[in-house]
Structure formats: C-alpha cells, structure tokens
Amino acid sequence: MRKDEKRNKAIEDRPRAALCQPRKIADHQDDLLAVGNETILLIDDEPVIIDVARDMLEILGYQVIVAHNGQDAIDIYRRRKNEIDMVIQDMVMPGMNGADVFQALKRINPEVKVILASGYVMNKQIAAMIEQGCRAFMSKPFRLEDLSLKVREVLDSP
C-alpha cells in the first residue's frame, strides 16, 4: 500500500466537526485564514505540488485525499463522492487533461465543486471550463492566504 493510500484510508475514520470559522494559525498570527474540516480531493501529477498543497490544506484543517492522475481521481470520486466536499485539480496532466477529468466528475455529480489549478494564466480552455460549472481558478504556486479564502468561498457557495 502506497503512503497516499494509507493516508487516505486513515481519513475515512476521522469524525467531522463543525469548525469553519476564520481563525489565526500559530505560524501565521498576522494572517486571518479561512479554515474548515471538509474533505478535499487533490488531483495533481507533480509530487512537490501535492506535498505542498496537501500540507497547506491540512494546516487549514481539511482532510485531503490525493490522486496522481485523472483516471485515479475519477475512480476515487466515483467510490467516495458522498464524503468528498470539493476537488482541486490540475489542468495539465499526462493521460487525461483537466477538461476531461472535470467532465467525468460532472457526469458522476453535476453539482461537484471544483477549483481548477494551473501554473499557466487563465486562457480560453480554462474560461470555457468556468462557463461549464468549474467554480474557480487558482494560479500555482498557491499562497496559503489565497488558498484558504478561495477554498472557503467555493465550499460555502450553493
């Protein structure tokens, strides 16, 4: 069993608490960060991005499930859609691109909340995905403060 699989399995047994109010985090006393306790599926093919983004999300209180490619993400989401509150996905990945992954997730759950993440600036393909229901776009690399606010904004949206 891979490290991510063990970590994902451990998440299944954690209780959910109602902790979604902005609060100060010890290492960021000057910053008011929006936090939560929801479960987020993080999809990216770059290990460094996964490690940093997962650590940031966990600092903010979220449970994180990791998928390293589009097909794994679809399989995980199909099995665990009732416990996954939101998805953060990369746009450019080997195999399935971000648009294909997004469409597959929408077929599973038309109300899926997705933040599209890319190292590239907003382009026509990303704009088209936003028009099709992708909730937000964030440029990589993430800043903790920006990530905290965007994630909370998307999770709190109808």
Side-chain angles (χ1 to χ4, degrees), residues 42-83:
L42 176 62
I43 311 166
D44 204 298
D45 62 309
E46 296 182 46
V48 171
I49 298 292
I50 286 173
D51 289 344
V52 171
R54 178 179 40 215
D55 287 350
M56 292 170 81
L57 290 165
E58 288 177 347
I59 285 169
L60 297 169
Y62 297 104
Q63 310 305 314
V64 181
I65 300 168
V66 171
H68 295 278
N69 61 60
Q71 190 58 57
D72 285 351
I74 293 164
D75 294 342
I76 291 168
Y77 193 77
R78 184 175 287 118
R79 285 191 326 269
R80 300 177 69 179
K81 67 179 177 246
N82 293 331
E83 62 189 281

Side-chain angles (χ1 to χ4, degrees), residues 101-157:
V101 173
F102 176 67
Q103 290 304 320
L105 296 176
K106 292 270 295 177
R107 283 191 293 277
I108 297 167
N109 174 11
E111 303 301 316
V112 64
K113 294 181 177 185
V114 175
I115 294 176
L116 184 61
S118 178
Y120 301 101
V121 295
M122 177 81 86
N123 61 32
K124 289 181 183 179
Q125 187 179 21
I126 294 168
M129 289 176 64
I130 299 289
E131 287 178 18
Q132 295 167 9
C134 186
R135 303 293 178 104
F137 170 76
M138 288 193 73
S139 293
K140 295 189 286 186
F142 305 127
R143 288 185 53 239
L144 182 62
E145 296 79 8
D146 297 337
L147 182 64
S148 80
L149 295 172
K150 186 62 70 178
V151 166
R152 191 75 259 150
E153 174 187 317
V154 170
L155 284 167
D156 290 343
S157 68

